[in-house]
Amino acid sequence: MAAGKRVLDTGWLAARSTEVALTGVQLTTTQPPAADPDPAAPWMSAAVPGTVLGTLLKNKLIPDPFYGLNNQAIVDIADAGREYYTFWFFTTFQCAPSGNQHVTLNFRGINYSAEMYLNGHKEVLPKGMFRRHTIDITDILHPDGNNLLAVLVHPPDHPGRIPPQGGQGGDHEIGKDVATQYVEGWDWMCPIRDRNTGIWDEVSISITGPVNMMDPHLVSTFHDDFKRSYLHCTLQLENKSSWVADCTLKIQVSTELEGNICLVEHLQSYAITIPPHSDVEYTIPPLFFYKPNLWWPNGMGKQSLYNVEISVDVKGFGESDSWSHYFGFRKIESTIDDSTGGRIFKVNGEPIFIRGGNWILSDGLLRLTKKRYMTDIKFHADMNFNMLRCWGGGLAERPDFYHFCDVYGLMVWQEFWITGDVDGRGIPVSNPNGPLDHDLFLLCARDTVKLLRNHASLALWVGGNEQVPPVDINKALKSDLKLHPMFVSSQASDSQQKHLLEESTDPSKYLDGTRVYVQGSMWDGFANGKGNFTDGPYEIQYPESFFKDSFYKYGFNPEVGSVGVPVAATIRATMPAEGWSIPIFKKRIDGYIEEVPNPIWDYHKFIPYSKPGKVHDQIELYGHPKDLDDFCEKAQLVNYAQYRALLEGWTSFMWTKFTGVLIWKTQNPWTGLRGQFYDHLQDQTAGFYGCRCAAEPIHVQLNLASYFIEVVNTTADELADVAVEISVWDLDGASPYYKVTEKIVVPPKKVKQIMEMKYPKAKDAKPVYFLLLKLFRLSDNGILSRNFYWLHLPGKDYKLLEQYQQRNIPLKIDSEISVSGTRHKVRMIVENKSKKSVTQSIRPASTVDLRDVSGFHTAGNETTHEGNESGSLWRKIRSGLGIARSSDNLRTLEVNGTDSGVAFFLHFSVHTSGSSTAREKYTDTRILPVHYSDNYFSLTPGEKTSIDISFEAPPGSSPRVVLRGWNHHLDHAVMI
């Protein structure tokens, strides 16, 4: 039969172990469960990969734990006992190897331990959530090719109990095991009742010849300012046969040029002899590349990837095994910056100012798919982020996660499974020596390194979250992950350099000698560098606070968070009607407002938009919310302003005080109501676009503390021959202030202060006004950055915007539509038809069109790399229109309006049919996810912008694109 890997992800059944009287031997020989047409109780269709809860939910045997208060109705493992969530998983597969073929059964992740039965033969799969299991099943496959597989999966040994008050990691018992810790609940997460028990990652069979390959390690090294590069590779070769294997090892390295045309840069072969029943380590002679296409983080250049294919042929047999991986040539260095004390990252010699976020995992029930991962990672690239931190209480993320980080340019900080709350620093203090089995922890860590080390996006290993691992584990990790001499920073001392020069080992022979290991998230250049709790804060702030020197003391903040209420449609879709009531606004005697949420919001970890004693209510600034829609719309205004200010404030101190910041956090693995830029249904909040604006590689911004206009250049190139257009707009549609600066030059990686914005000091300044900043090229008026603010004078508020909602602003909306199967691409061109009223003639730069001007990543561009696809190294999905049939290529909609002014806070959404908000039954008509090149945008009189929208529509649906806004309520839709 054909060699290669086959994934076993369909046809699985499951049953609670206490309801199955048969043994594993019986299940896989004489009495297998029947699957046709439907499994008979207690057997049910199983979610594999997945968890027990995922299987129960799939069969509607539990309510959706993430909806409303349903999770409280699901029995917890602490109350039911481990046996309640101990499950059998069963499937069949066809496999009849020919002579000299060998077959392995591979489990990439089981939580927590298991017994595997195949055709009556038993194999114990030891404990550990983050270890791979590979079993040679050649001799136990059934001669007729019909194979019966049953796996009895046991939950973690120490699932713990959830205290009445909740807490960080429950009672911390889960920390005794090597598993995810968030499953006992956190201040942002409900407890997971089965503690993620299940076959949670890929199951496959691998068919090879007599010789197979294991864990190839790819490393690139550089010389002469990256002009010369070498690709290094070391791999294990195992000869399972009883004779000497004369082998030919082949390596091919290719890259895509255009379309389906590939350039083969290297094709080499090497003769190897392997004794019978033995394995050897083989290091391929380094392959030379002259000026290879480098991999860069998002915002700094292209994410160039080469396809590395390795195969081994055995004399007398033919191709025995093969392996391929997309590989990026790049060098990542990380040291502590002398001037700021913060950790600095350099990629290909260029310092990278880190703006990114903390990541827990995609879904709390471990429903992890390539499609969802692609959306997750592309969303972060769309926000112009360049790093994700995989938090230590979550997962060692999966290869699919890293693959899309490679594709979209997100550097990854990967932590091991230690958290301060659970491992020695929590309340009460528990597990001061970490997990019970240190050898198991290190086995899982080393196996994780081998699984992930070839990914270009992987930038950093960290021992734990707000804690360091136990002494022996930490010492072992430091030794295992020590840097190869070629990857030690030039800042090393002379004695270190001399010692390192004596090391001549090929770098691919190291477990991983290419990335720094840092012992904890608040050590060695992060927070205060000494392990004190100096990350955070995690609450609402005045936007101007982020620009103040006193806000944060240290060079790199690994966690700073705030609010995250989603749109009203998500609240209605994830909660029953009693959850639609908005918080009660209680006025305190000191004038502050306390927001008191309903019990469902409280269970979903709502963070208020006020901090009594510190921050006045930021929603109340816009007027008291009338209902859920009003609350959520005003929350989006706050979300946008809050997170734009956070990133702009940090960027204002780029390299002078700060080296980076990671926001806590970017999304929730469930339907939580805090710290997120898109919700669990994958609909973006306005904070998403506030971040997208603020984290542009080239950016113009207003310092909200000093009111000076600043231009940010994070790139490696000088920004020359540019100017800033400044216009102020009032609520009547007039522009009382307009100015264009002189020519500006901004050096690479610098923030330049341009001028003070003095309008608020004018005698006739309006209490509420709009400010539009545009950074443009003088040569062709091409806009490099556009930034729109709504502002109020000191001591005032935004309540005048309430009546602004009644304005009727004329709009012209053109749409261009392209459809290919279920894939839809729409370009919406929106123009504010209000008459201009300005003190001077607006320059041509007032037309908004940022497509391709900066030369960096735009949200309309999507690229996916799929391994082993025919025709191309990877499949590109372009944002350009006309890829397939076009439907009424250009449509125009005129929205008549009698008023002039700013079309404020416009936002698109995509739906299938008419919406329903009836309290007895709500129908969510949104199509999700949707990628927008921008959203929550505003247009001054005469402005026009293009928004690219892409999505997959459910088969048979009739999508419609809807535009709404603060002062646009006509609900006009473009039917597709």
Side-chain angles (χ1 to χ4, degrees):
M1 64 185 303
K5 186 177 83 169
R6 282 172 45 200
V7 176
L8 305 181
D9 59 358
T10 59
W12 285 87
L13 303 178
R16 184 169 280 115
S17 64
T18 54
E19 298 176 3
V20 177
L22 301 173
T23 66
V25 172
Q26 291 171 315
L27 288 172
T28 59
T29 53
T30 59
Q31 300 182 65
D36 296 323
D38 294 306
W43 293 93
M44 66 193 82
S45 177
V48 175
T51 64
V52 169
L53 274 191
T55 289
L56 295 174
L57 180 60
K58 179 180 180 179
N59 291 276
K60 300 181 179 178
L61 296 175
I62 58 169
D64 182 351
F66 298 163
Y67 182 88
L69 297 177
N70 283 352
N71 198 49
Q72 294 181 333
I74 301 173
V75 64
D76 192 81
I77 192 171
D79 300 314
R82 292 176 68 247
E83 295 79 10
Y84 186 79
Y85 286 114
T86 299
F87 265 62
W88 281 105
F89 292 89
F90 177 88
T91 193
T92 64
F93 63 91
Q94 290 285 318
C95 183
S98 57
N100 296 327
Q101 283 191 322
H102 293 259
V103 183
T104 58
L105 176 61
N106 315 298
F107 296 90
R108 209 165 64 186
I110 290 179
N111 192 22
Y112 184 59
S113 61
E115 293 100 51
M116 184 276 291
Y117 294 83
L118 178 63
N119 301 329
H121 297 264
K122 178 182 178 181
E123 184 82 23
V124 173
L125 306 182
K127 301 172 184 178
M129 185 174 180
F130 302 109
R131 66 186 300 174
R132 294 172 293 174
H133 304 276
T134 299
I135 307 103
D136 190 331
I137 59 173
T138 307
D139 295 336
I140 55 178
L141 292 171
H142 201 282
D144 68 5
N146 297 311
N147 299 283
L148 307 180
L149 172 64
V151 186
L152 182 63
V153 179
H154 302 277
D157 292 348
H158 303 89
R161 179 173 294 276
I162 314 304
Q165 72 275 15
Q168 312 292 77
D171 64 0
H172 307 156
E173 282 294 290
I174 194 69
K176 290 181 166 65
D177 298 329
V178 183
T180 53
Q181 298 183 357
Y182 77 92
V183 291
E184 278 205 68
W186 228 267
D187 60 3
W188 43 265
M189 183 71 193
C190 69
I192 304 298
R193 300 305 186 187
D194 69 344
R195 308 297 191 264
N196 282 159
T197 300
I199 304 173
W200 68 276
D201 200 5
E202 179 185 273
V203 184
S204 66
I205 57 172
S206 298
I207 303 160
T208 69
V211 174
N212 67 287
M213 295 183 290
M214 295 175 290
D215 296 322
H217 185 198
L218 304 175
V219 172
S220 55
T221 58
F222 300 93
H223 309 269
D224 297 340
D225 196 25
F226 298 91
K227 292 186 180 70
R228 292 189 300 117
S229 179
Y230 291 90
L231 176 63
H232 305 256
C233 179
T234 295
L235 69 164
Q236 304 292 320
L237 294 163
E238 180 185 16
N239 180 7
K240 295 184 176 181
S241 71
S242 56
W243 63 85
V244 173
D246 294 321
C247 304
T248 301
L249 185 70
K250 299 178 182 177
I251 182 169
Q252 175 177 300
V253 184
S254 56
T255 185
E256 185 181 75
L257 296 179
E258 283 294 333
N260 295 334
I261 302 174
C262 296
L263 172 67
V264 176
E265 299 240 1
H266 273 284
L267 178 58
Q268 306 289 340
S269 60
Y270 311 92
I272 306 172
T273 299
I274 309 175
H277 300 298
S278 62
D279 59 81
V280 299
E281 180 180 88
Y282 184 78
T283 299
I284 295 174
L287 303 179
F288 175 71
F289 290 77
Y290 181 68
K291 292 186 178 179
N293 298 322
L294 300 180
W295 183 94
W296 290 96
N298 186 34
M300 291 296 290
K302 293 182 179 180
Q303 289 75 53
S304 299
L305 295 173
Y306 288 75
N307 190 22
V308 179
E309 300 171 275
I310 305 174
S311 62
V312 58
D313 290 1
V314 177
K315 185 177 180 180
F317 180 85
E319 184 172 288
S320 183
D321 198 6
S322 63
W323 177 89
S324 66
H325 199 283
Y326 289 106
F327 181 75
F329 282 80
R330 62 96 183 97
K331 182 178 182 180
I332 294 182
E333 301 167 88
S334 182
T335 57
I336 298 175
D337 181 49
D338 291 336
S339 61
T340 65
R343 182 157 287 277
I344 187 172
F345 291 85
K346 290 184 179 180
V347 179
N348 305 328
E350 293 289 344
I352 309 295
F353 187 68
I354 299 299
R355 292 175 294 187
N358 284 267
W359 170 268
I360 312 302
L361 71 163
S362 184
D363 176 69
L365 298 187
L366 302 187
R367 294 167 291 189
L368 311 176
T369 65
K370 285 185 179 181
K371 185 176 181 180
R372 187 174 180 97
Y373 269 138
M374 187 185 80
T375 299
D376 283 328
I377 303 309
K378 185 178 186 304
F379 274 176
H380 288 82
D382 288 349
M383 287 188 282
N384 290 312
F385 285 177
N386 55 23
M387 178 175 277
L388 283 173
R389 171 195 174 207
C390 293
W391 175 74
L395 294 180
E397 264 301 352
R398 300 297 87 195
D400 287 339
F401 170 92
Y402 276 92
H403 168 73
F404 290 113
C405 288
D406 292 347
V407 169
Y408 290 112
L410 273 296
M411 294 189 291
V412 183
W413 152 345
Q414 178 68 63
E415 283 178 6
F416 296 109
W417 317 285
I418 295 287
T419 67
D421 296 287
V422 171
D423 296 293
R425 302 185 78 173
I427 302 173
V429 172
S430 60
N431 308 316
N433 201 31
L436 295 179
D437 191 335
H438 290 197
D439 289 338
L440 174 60
F441 187 99
L442 287 169
L443 184 152
C444 290
R446 289 163 182 150
D447 201 45
T448 295
V449 172
K450 291 177 182 178
L451 180 68
L452 303 177
R453 62 190 177 185
N454 291 320
H455 287 280
S457 55
L458 179 55
L460 178 72
W461 300 108
V462 176
N465 163 65
E466 298 177 338
Q467 177 63 301
V468 298
V471 173
D472 59 323
I473 292 178
N474 196 29
K475 181 179 179 181
L477 289 174
K478 286 180 179 180
S479 175
D480 288 347
L481 299 173
K482 65 180 178 182
L483 289 174
H484 185 275
M486 299 192 75
F487 294 88
V488 173
S489 168
S490 58
Q491 295 180 9
S493 66
D494 291 342
S495 60
Q496 287 177 310
Q497 291 284 3
K498 182 178 179 181
H499 169 73
L500 295 171
L501 289 173
E502 297 172 358
E503 171 66 79
S504 59
T505 305
D506 188 286
S508 63
K509 294 174 73 70
Y510 278 47
L511 178 65
D512 183 7
T514 69
R515 303 166 178 92
V516 165
Y517 168 77
V518 174
Q519 59 186 340
S521 68
M522 300 187 301
W523 279 258
D524 304 322
F526 298 124
N528 78 340
K530 302 174 182 178
N532 301 108
F533 285 102
T534 47
D535 47 7
Y538 308 91
E539 58 202 17
I540 191 72
Q541 305 291 332
Y542 292 124
E544 61 270 22
S545 296
F546 295 111
F547 293 84
K548 295 179 179 178
D549 185 66
S550 59
F551 183 75
Y552 190 71
K553 296 180 180 179
Y554 308 105
F556 193 120
N557 193 342
E559 297 182 15
V560 56
S562 190
V563 291
V565 163
V567 297
T570 292
I571 297 290
R572 292 190 174 98
T574 58
M575 299 178 184
E578 52 267 33
W580 301 357
S581 59
I582 64 175
I584 297 170
F585 283 52
K586 291 178 62 176
K587 189 77 171 283
R588 300 191 343 165
I589 193 170
D590 59 3
Y592 287 92
I593 288 174
E594 179 185 357
E595 293 181 10
V596 182
N598 66 59
I600 299 178
W601 284 34
D602 189 51
Y603 189 78
H604 286 249
K605 316 296 185 180
F606 169 73
I607 284 185
Y609 284 67
S610 65
K611 184 66 175 178
K614 290 185 178 180
V615 181
H616 283 287
D617 197 285
Q618 296 296 286
I619 286 180
E620 191 75 18
L621 282 178
Y622 296 89
H624 188 73
K626 300 182 286 293
D627 53 26
L628 180 64
D629 292 293
D630 193 31
F631 180 92
C632 289
E633 185 75 358
K634 288 172 178 173
Q636 299 318 309
L637 286 165
V638 180
N639 290 345
Y640 192 108
Q642 180 82 174
Y643 286 109
R644 175 176 59 181
L646 190 160
L647 286 179
E648 288 185 339
W650 242 271
T651 306
S652 184
F653 292 99
M654 179 176 71
W655 303 127
T656 59
K657 183 179 181 181
F658 298 137
T659 62
V661 62
L662 298 176
I663 298 175
W664 182 267
K665 45 194 183 6
T666 59
Q667 47 76 248
N668 279 300
W670 76 306
T671 51
L673 297 180
R674 64 166 59 194
Q676 61 186 357
F677 300 131
Y678 60 95
D679 57 48
H680 194 247
L681 305 182
Q682 295 191 313
D683 197 358
Q684 300 95 330
T685 71
F688 183 108
Y689 298 97
C691 289
R692 174 173 170 77
C693 172
E696 294 174 308
I698 295 172
H699 183 61
V700 61
Q701 65 185 39
L702 177 68
N703 186 311
L704 295 178
S706 67
Y707 263 62
F708 270 78
I709 294 166
E710 300 169 338
V711 174
V712 177
N713 180 12
T714 69
T715 75
D717 300 317
E718 181 182 77
L719 186 61
D721 195 34
V722 297
V724 177
E725 179 189 88
I726 307 155
S727 59
V728 171
W729 298 83
D730 62 25
L731 299 186
D732 296 320
S735 178
Y737 179 90
Y738 176 80
K739 181 178 178 62
V740 177
T741 67
E742 299 295 323
K743 183 169 68 172
I744 297 168
V745 175
V746 186
K749 305 183 189 305
K750 294 290 185 181
V751 178
K752 185 166 186 174
Q753 195 175 86
I754 304 303
M755 60 172 287
E756 184 180 2
M757 210 283 284
K758 296 183 177 180
Y759 175 78
K761 297 179 179 179
K763 291 182 180 179
D764 55 353
K766 300 297 177 69
V768 176
Y769 61 96
F770 303 113
L771 172 66
L772 178 60
L773 304 177
K774 294 176 184 175
L775 176 69
F776 65 97
R777 285 193 303 254
L778 289 167
S779 59
D780 60 2
N781 290 325
I783 297 178
L784 299 173
S785 174
R786 176 187 184 274
N787 204 346
F788 179 90
Y789 296 84
W790 52 100
L791 300 164
H792 62 74
L793 295 181
K796 303 296 183 180
D797 54 36
Y798 293 115
K799 289 186 173 65
L800 287 175
L801 288 176
E802 287 264 70
Q803 62 194 54
Y804 201 61
Q805 289 182 303
Q806 309 308 315
R807 287 296 183 97
N808 188 10
I809 307 298
L811 298 176
K812 179 183 177 184
I813 306 170
D814 293 328
S815 59
E816 299 173 356
I817 303 165
S818 179
V819 181
S820 177
T822 60
R823 185 74 181 172
H824 292 66
K825 292 180 180 293
V826 183
R827 174 163 292 166
M828 304 297 294
I829 305 165
V830 186
E831 183 178 0
N832 184 341
K833 299 293 288 185
S834 299
K835 293 182 179 179
K836 299 177 185 176
S837 175
V838 295
T839 56
Q840 299 184 44
S841 174
I842 296 288
R843 301 173 63 89
S846 62
T847 297
V848 185
D849 190 348
L850 299 181
R851 292 190 306 277
D852 299 328
V853 173
S854 66
F856 294 106
H857 178 89
T858 59
N861 293 339
E862 299 181 16
T863 306
T864 61
H865 293 221
E866 297 291 346
N868 300 320
E869 283 198 354
S870 61
S872 174
L873 287 181
W874 55 78
R875 176 169 47 94
K876 291 187 176 179
I877 305 172
R878 299 290 190 186
S879 66
L881 301 172
I883 59 170
R885 67 177 178 86
S886 294
S887 174
D888 295 338
N889 194 40
L890 181 63
R891 304 178 188 179
T892 299
L893 174 67
E894 296 275 357
V895 180
N896 294 324
T898 58
D899 298 317
S900 292
V902 171
F904 182 51
F905 218 54
L906 300 171
H907 45 95
F908 285 107
S909 56
V910 183
H911 300 260
T912 57
S913 61
S915 178
S916 168
T917 57
R919 294 186 72 84
E920 62 275 8
K921 186 177 181 181
Y922 173 73
T923 301
D924 188 4
T925 64
R926 290 172 298 170
I927 293 175
L928 296 172
V930 180
H931 297 275
Y932 304 91
S933 61
D934 199 9
N935 220 351
Y936 294 94
F937 60 97
S938 301
L939 296 175
T940 60
E943 272 199 306
K944 179 169 67 174
T945 190
S946 297
I947 307 293
D948 289 330
I949 304 172
S950 61
F951 57 92
E952 287 190 23
S957 63
S958 299
R960 59 193 183 98
V961 179
V962 176
L963 178 66
R964 297 189 180 95
W966 187 260
N967 51 2
H968 179 75
H969 310 286
L970 299 179
D971 210 22
H972 285 98
V974 174
M975 306 301 294
I976 300 176

